[in-house]
Amino acid sequence: MKPVNPDPLAQLTEIRAIMERSSRFLSLSGLSGVGAGVVALLGAATGHFYLQSRYPDGYLRLIQSSMPERQAALPFLLLLAGGMIGVALLVAFYFTQRRTRHNGQPLWSRPARRLVAALAVPLVTGGLFCLRLFLGGDAAMVVPGLLVFYGLALLNASKYTLDEIRWLGLTQLVLGLGCLLLPGWGLIFFALGFGLGHIGYGLLMYNRYERTATAGPDAKTVVTQ
């Protein structure tokens, strides 16, 4: 009996999937985004209550404060920012490692290293730039700067991971530009971008890529990466 030729379309699909796995990091967990968003909301709330206890007008007073006042608040703000980044990275590491194990892929692969490098350059540059803004008397531009640089970092990294990262990056850019028009609402824009933006993205990615993949043999469809 003559062997049946395999479906060329199926072969092309499989080749494309193999090429994507070798060039892009596809094991980002949506739960990492949810966790980062929760951390950002808690951090924004902590910053709000701290500033309210220090100044009558809270954040609005901070962005209009003198150099000595900003320098006095800087150690707490740096500690808060460092704590948020550290906890968010731990959450991301935990859920992403769990997903890479589920997919049978290495965590620190070549695509993962490219992804980290693409994120790190704009983020480090933006962090130092915003610190200089804060110390130089342009504190109102710090939150817009953080959102814009983070959005650029996500856009830069989107070619090494899931395409949906690009939309999260564009969201951050739009919020950053909006915050330029309403600088007194900086904490609200921070919570929207880093908090609710991450949570919405994370839930979308979890439902799209992970939920059915972990639903077990009774799931109607299984999403594979």
Side-chain angles (χ1 to χ4, degrees), residues 87-99:
V87 174
L89 287 176
L90 287 175
V91 171
F93 175 79
Y94 172 77
F95 285 113
T96 301
Q97 184 183 46
R98 191 177 72 168
R99 191 172 180 211

Side-chain angles (χ1 to χ4, degrees), residues 5 20 22 34 50 65 81 86 93 97 102 117 122 128 138 143 186 192-194:
N5 291 328
E20 284 191 340
S22 64
V34 174
Y50 168 79
S65 60
F93 175 79
Q97 184 183 46
H102 180 268
L128 294 175
D138 294 319
V143 173
L192 287 174
F194 293 103

Side-chain angles (χ1 to χ4, degrees), residues 1-18:
M1 183 176 180
K2 203 171 182 180
V4 179
N5 291 328
D7 184 3
L9 182 59
Q11 283 187 326
L12 289 174
T13 302
E14 180 63 22
I15 292 172
R16 180 181 177 183
I18 293 172

Side-chain angles (χ1 to χ4, degrees), residues 39-73:
V39 171
L41 290 178
L42 292 175
T46 302
H48 170 74
F49 288 118
Y50 168 79
L51 294 174
Q52 286 288 344
S53 68
R54 190 176 182 89
Y55 308 114
D57 296 328
Y59 176 78
L60 186 60
R61 178 70 181 90
L62 175 69
I63 63 176
Q64 299 172 346
S65 60
S66 63
M67 175 67 75
E69 289 177 314
R70 290 195 301 275
Q71 289 179 338

